[in-house]
Amino acid sequence: MLKKSRVNKGTFEILPKKVLLKNIRVIDNAEKLNAVKSVVIRNDKIADILDKPPASFDGETWEDKNFVLMPGLFDMHVHFREPGREDEETLETGSFTAANGGFTGVACMPNTDPAIDTQEVVNFIREETRDYLVDVHPVSAITKAREGKELAPIAEMVEAGAVAISDDGSPVMNAELMRRALEYSKMFDIPILGHEEDTNLSKNRHMHEGFYSTKLGIQGIPALSEEIIVARDIMLTEFTGGRFHVCHISSKGSVELIRQAKAKGLKVTCEVTPHHFTLTDQVVESYDTNTKMNPPLRSDEDRQALIDGLKDGTIDAIATDHAPHSIEEKEAEYINAPFGITGLETALGLITSELLDTKILTLKDIYDRCVQNPRKILNLDVPKIKTGENANLTLFSQKENWTYNDSISFSKSRNTPFTNHPLTGRSVVVINKGKIFKTPPLK
Amino acid sequence: MRFKDGHLLGLEYADKEDIELILKTATSFREVLERPIKKVPTLQGKTVVNLFFEPSTRTRISFELAEKRLSADSINFSSTNSSVKKGETLLDTARNIEAMKIDMVVIRHQSPGAANFLAGNLGANIINAGDGAHEHPTQALLDMMTILEKHESIEGLNVAIIGDISHSRVALSNIHGLLKMGANVTLCGPATMIPREIEKLGVDVCYHVDDVLGKVDVINILRIQLERQEGGLFPSLREYHNYFGITRARLDKLSKPITIMHPGPINRGVEISSDVADSEHSLILNQVTNGVAIRMAVLYLLAGGENINA
């Protein structure tokens, strides 16, 4: 039974003048760092990276043999629901949720109300989040009101700080319009983040089409509905010379198409969510509406292909598609419930338990997928663990066996299938913009 | 089966012994229905609510009659709108009704899993009377009971289900029930109406109705819904009738008569011709009678009744 529980109120504390991260594993591929070090932060900057900890230190100290330090993790796909659905999430609660999950930066999707389809809304988000620890980068709409009919004022929005364009939540079904969007966005070297779905194949459907949809009597969304549009958009990318990023890929066929596109040298990248590499359509047997998201959880063969794609680098980034929904909306019959689950606070735990502990990825790979690649795709500077650099850091425990429950969440929403799911890694602190957020200890 | 949980959500969750017990109990109740006084006091003092979120005539009447024959108090709630449109959630509707101290809920709903959803949230016994294209367990049970009128055992019997399998809860419940009872099941219909990977349940699929008819002992013909034509699943009722309709001409070509069933309501001249529906091998009306007996048995067993010797 779902219950409404208290929303945690977070604080971004001012970073103490001096902080020592002592005898922790430091990972920064750009700096060729993968060793146990001690890092001193002074006045918001990385002051020293030492092989041996200082003999004495009179500031805040963090030390544990299981701690790993990376430049701040970045989630390139979140829904913060503001403006429009502040009952589900706000820029503020979303940012605390991100910080609690170990992220220092996010890109938020434009399916708000009104949509992020004007310079004003981009400005609103930039200004509202200016002082947050978490960097919140708006993604603006490809088309006005995300209706797939006319181009939104892309140049104006990019000028205001939009880092990419997307109609996420809806595909651009008109190939001519997608062609023009790819051509137009070339002028700013920004990527299009594509929600890939042929709605003729997916309309009025609620889960992956396969054995389980057949058994459950739920009309299924074929993997084909994603793959057809991925194939189309790869062809459009080749034709226009634009830059295309495929959001939340879910199927074996999509991985293969992107692998081929990359082999051809096209500017195509993609992301996968933790739920797609962890769960399969079998979990829908519970009829739990927290197993309902778009794209849907697919077969185990698809899940395996996603893992292979992560391993060989076909998949560039891990992104959560954090999609808060109210209890009222989710506490419904399966076919009447909206798509989407929260993800920011369980992502790191799933990355470590599903990918790191299983030796599918290494810590260096996680740096690529969660620190560097998402920022590079969005043309953002990648923070460095280097003397003199601003401290933008995630310190996490690699081996804290824990389970998620609602009481530790900072989100306004509660729609996750991962309650009581065993997790390993957990964020300890994140540091950015002269602020620190400490993930509260488990109750 | 979920009898231990006090619910009948689907035959997927049942085992052979549960099905046999229900069929045996229903046979006893069928005998009650033949008596001049058709009422027994078995469920006196129990209250059953029939929650119907989809239009239904025979299933609702059948349940209501079964409840009355068992002397239960029954209440009907019908809404052709989905609960969401009304502004009240299914859960709230059910909770409100439960607050009136109901013992059992019979639910028919458009959403697959609606009965499972209630079972997880309410204290009452839940009986699934059809949830979207998922299950309709009492229909499959009454179908099996009807088969046993003509055939000694279901074990080893060849049964075909013909029609729109993709949108049919009757098909899915029949598949689970028949396979558990040892029948061989073949599905036949237009390829657009056969859901993917259904063979994994242990059934055969064939698109040619004449090939199927030659091989089976029993056919269960599903109602074809006109709106599927608009959904692009078949071109016309005429074409459906010509290629999948069960006609006297088709049956006359067979070397032996086969048992004809249909869950109703029938579209005469579409999936079944009138002369077949009214023929001596058609058990369509026996299904209806058995439906009451099966529902009596399910209500009785869920209420905690022991093996009965009426």
Side-chain angles (χ1 to χ4, degrees):
Chain A
M1 178 79 53
L2 293 163
K3 267 192 221 83
K4 215 156 217 174
S5 49
R6 172 180 75 86
V7 175
N8 289 309
K9 188 97 178 92
T11 44
F12 294 140
E13 295 170 31
I14 301 294
L15 187 64
K17 282 253 177 297
K18 284 188 279 183
V19 177
L20 172 64
L21 308 171
K22 190 177 170 186
N23 291 329
I24 39 112
R25 177 153 297 271
V26 180
I27 304 283
D28 185 336
N29 300 359
E31 293 299 304
K32 300 195 166 43
L33 272 173
N34 179 4
V36 174
K37 302 270 183 190
S38 291
V39 175
V40 178
I41 302 163
R42 207 176 293 136
N43 297 327
D44 311 340
K45 290 195 188 309
I46 294 168
D48 276 309
I49 303 166
L50 307 163
D51 291 333
K52 290 264 154 55
S56 68
F57 187 78
D58 61 349
E60 194 167 313
T61 303
W62 297 81
E63 177 182 18
D64 189 293
K65 66 175 178 5
N66 291 322
F67 282 179
V68 177
L69 184 73
M70 285 194 195
L73 306 181
F74 192 95
D75 186 351
M76 65 183 299
H77 193 137
V78 301
H79 299 271
F80 278 178
R81 305 293 186 218
E82 186 176 355
R85 284 305 300 268
E86 291 82 356
D87 61 314
E88 295 183 328
E89 201 77 284
T90 63
L91 292 164
E92 189 182 25
T93 60
S95 297
F96 282 117
T97 308
N100 194 35
F103 297 93
T104 65
V106 298
C108 61
M109 286 294 169
N111 60 337
T112 47
D113 184 17
I116 309 176
D117 64 350
T118 59
Q119 202 176 43
E120 286 73 20
V121 186
V122 175
N123 281 333
F124 164 76
I125 291 168
R126 295 291 290 164
E127 277 161 29
E128 196 72 13
T129 60
R130 193 170 305 280
D131 298 327
Y132 293 177
L133 179 153
V134 175
D135 300 319
V136 180
H137 296 280
V139 174
S140 63
I142 302 170
T143 66
K144 286 175 190 151
R146 302 173 44 257
E147 281 176 348
K149 290 181 185 152
E150 291 173 38
L151 289 182
I154 295 167
E156 290 176 13
M157 297 188 292
V158 169
E159 193 191 328
V163 290
I165 53 173
S166 177
D167 275 1
D168 184 55
S170 310
V172 176
M173 278 299 289
N174 181 336
E176 154 71 9
L177 193 61
M178 189 56 117
R179 170 201 168 161
R180 298 306 176 196
L182 274 159
E183 287 171 342
Y184 201 78
S185 61
K186 267 202 310 187
M187 297 191 291
F188 322 104
D189 189 35
I190 54 161
I192 292 183
L193 315 183
H195 173 112
E196 309 297 83
E197 174 185 353
D198 185 326
T199 51
N200 293 312
L201 288 164
S202 63
K203 197 178 161 204
N204 293 331
R205 288 154 186 272
H206 309 277
M207 68 176 290
H208 172 61
E209 182 179 8
F211 174 68
Y212 288 99
S213 64
T214 292
K215 191 170 158 210
L216 296 172
I218 296 175
Q219 301 302 309
I221 303 168
L224 193 70
S225 82
E226 174 175 300
E227 292 154 4
I228 280 178
I229 302 296
V230 169
R232 180 200 76 173
D233 289 341
I234 287 170
M235 294 169 86
L236 287 170
T237 303
E238 182 168 21
F239 181 74
T240 58
R243 197 138 82 73
F244 199 81
H245 173 84
V246 183
C247 293
H248 41 54
I249 68 165
S250 68
S251 85
K252 185 180 176 182
S254 298
V255 177
E256 190 46 42
L257 286 164
I258 291 162
R259 192 175 282 130
Q260 288 165 11
K262 287 188 165 187
K264 266 185 164 178
L266 301 181
K267 285 182 270 182
V268 173
T269 55
C270 69
E271 72 195 25
V272 68
T273 70
H275 50 272
H276 284 111
F277 67 63
T278 304
L279 302 175
T280 66
D281 57 347
Q282 188 179 357
V283 301
V284 183
E285 281 197 290
S286 65
Y287 288 106
D288 178 353
T289 57
N290 290 330
T291 63
K292 182 175 177 179
M293 70 289 289
N294 192 13
L297 298 170
R298 300 214 183 264
S299 70
D300 198 51
E301 195 185 353
D302 292 306
R303 191 186 71 89
Q304 202 52 53
L306 295 171
I307 285 176
D308 294 343
L310 272 167
K311 216 169 174 170
D312 72 11
T314 303
I315 298 175
D316 303 87
I318 296 170
T320 66
D321 195 7
H322 178 81
H325 283 291
S326 69
I327 289 167
E328 293 76 16
E329 284 179 344
K330 274 290 194 181
E331 199 175 61
E333 310 87 86
Y334 206 85
I335 62 170
N336 291 324
F339 293 102
I341 60 167
T342 59
L344 280 164
E345 289 161 315
T346 47
L348 186 54
L350 291 168
I351 290 164
T352 48
S353 64
E354 302 294 321
L355 303 176
L356 192 64
D357 295 352
T358 52
K359 305 211 183 322
I360 290 162
L361 296 188
T362 63
L363 284 168
K364 287 172 72 178
D365 295 328
I366 291 168
Y367 168 92
D368 283 339
R369 311 297 191 278
C370 303
V371 174
Q372 177 177 268
N373 294 350
R375 288 185 175 93
K376 279 194 167 167
I377 291 165
L378 301 174
N379 305 321
L380 298 166
D381 291 335
V382 181
K384 287 178 182 162
I385 302 181
K386 185 181 175 187
T387 307
E389 292 283 323
N390 287 327
N392 180 340
L393 301 164
T394 298
L395 181 71
F396 67 93
S397 172
Q398 194 185 330
K399 292 187 179 112
E400 176 169 347
N401 291 312
W402 66 293
T403 54
Y404 171 87
N405 68 73
D406 290 347
S407 72
I408 61 172
S409 177
F410 283 77
S411 174
K412 280 190 153 186
S413 292
R414 294 287 174 259
N415 49 312
T416 172
F418 293 115
T419 301
N420 299 325
H421 188 97
L423 304 166
T424 45
R426 188 159 191 252
S427 179
V428 178
V429 293
V430 290
I431 294 169
N432 187 26
K433 288 157 76 174
K435 297 183 178 67
I436 183 167
F437 177 90
K438 300 169 185 169
T439 293
L442 294 166
K443 285 156 201 160
Chain B
M1 125 178 270
R2 302 248 169 138
F3 265 27
K4 26 187 180 306
D5 305 344
H7 308 299
L8 177 66
L9 305 177
L11 294 191
E12 184 199 341
Y13 318 110
D15 42 30
K16 192 180 176 189
E17 290 70 35
D18 297 319
I19 294 172
E20 282 171 342
L21 175 63
I22 297 168
L23 294 178
K24 188 167 164 239
T25 310
T27 310
S28 304
F29 281 123
R30 167 91 203 223
E31 190 263 319
V32 171
L33 296 175
E34 306 295 338
R35 294 178 190 169
I37 300 200
K38 300 176 177 62
K39 205 165 167 118
V40 289
T42 321
L43 288 192
Q44 210 157 41
K46 295 274 182 188
T47 313
V48 186
V49 60
N50 302 309
L51 274 183
F52 277 69
F53 292 94
E54 252 184 7
S56 157
T57 311
R58 72 193 58 212
T59 302
R60 192 172 56 76
I61 289 176
S62 180
F63 266 107
E64 213 180 320
L65 205 54
E67 290 150 16
K68 289 189 166 33
R69 297 282 188 244
L70 292 169
S71 307
D73 296 317
S74 58
I75 298 161
N76 294 309
F77 175 97
S78 301
S79 168
T80 47
N81 289 326
S82 80
S83 53
V84 166
K85 281 181 199 138
K86 273 195 318 129
E88 188 180 45
T89 67
L90 169 62
L91 191 58
D92 281 330
T93 305
R95 276 179 186 153
N96 271 286
I97 288 166
E98 192 181 46
M100 299 176 206
K101 307 298 172 200
I102 299 292
D103 299 297
M104 295 178 152
V105 176
V106 175
I107 178 170
R108 150 97 34 121
H109 199 279
Q110 304 86 337
S111 181
N116 303 58
F117 177 70
L118 286 193
N121 285 290
L122 296 184
N125 306 106
I126 310 295
I127 299 171
N128 184 4
D131 59 332
H134 180 218
E135 285 228 37
H136 190 1
T138 55
Q139 177 69 46
L141 288 164
L142 74 88
D143 289 345
M144 288 189 281
M145 184 178 177
T146 309
I147 289 174
L148 287 170
E149 286 185 13
K150 281 255 171 147
H151 303 270
E152 288 220 337
S153 165
I154 293 171
E155 176 110 39
L157 216 55
N158 296 306
V159 182
I161 305 170
I162 300 170
D164 180 1
I165 310 298
S166 292
H167 297 87
S168 177
R169 50 192 168 219
V170 176
L172 216 45
S173 283
N174 261 285
I175 290 167
H176 288 303
L178 289 167
L179 291 177
K180 281 174 184 176
M181 296 300 284
N184 306 309
V185 179
T186 304
L187 307 178
C188 179
T192 47
M193 294 179 171
I194 306 287
R196 290 174 77 80
E197 301 188 38
I198 196 151
E199 296 89 343
K200 283 192 188 166
L201 289 174
V203 297
D204 291 325
V205 171
C206 179
Y207 304 128
H208 306 288
V209 77
D210 289 310
D211 294 351
V212 171
L213 292 177
K215 284 186 238 167
V216 297
D217 308 299
V218 178
I219 56 172
N220 203 342
I221 306 163
L222 303 176
R223 177 183 167 80
I224 197 79
Q225 286 174 304
L226 188 57
E227 66 254 34
R228 306 294 172 217
Q229 186 180 316
E230 291 149 28
L233 297 186
F234 69 102
S236 70
L237 290 178
R238 190 194 60 196
E239 184 157 316
Y240 186 86
H241 179 71
N242 287 340
Y243 288 83
F244 293 95
I246 306 301
T247 58
R248 175 64 80 179
R250 281 210 153 94
L251 296 180
D252 282 345
K253 285 190 283 182
L254 306 177
S255 56
K256 63 171 172 55
I258 57 176
T259 303
I260 313 286
M261 301 204 299
H262 190 304
I266 61 176
N267 289 314
R268 288 173 183 264
V270 183
E271 71 267 4
I272 185 168
S273 65
S274 276
D275 47 5
V276 172
D278 303 331
S279 74
E280 72 278 19
H281 299 294
S282 160
L283 298 183
I284 295 173
L285 293 176
N286 307 45
Q287 288 174 275
V288 178
T289 312
N290 289 334
V292 179
I294 281 289
R295 282 156 188 140
M296 285 171 80
V298 169
L299 289 159
Y300 170 75
L301 291 167
L302 279 184
E306 296 298 317
N307 203 346
I308 190 174
N309 292 302

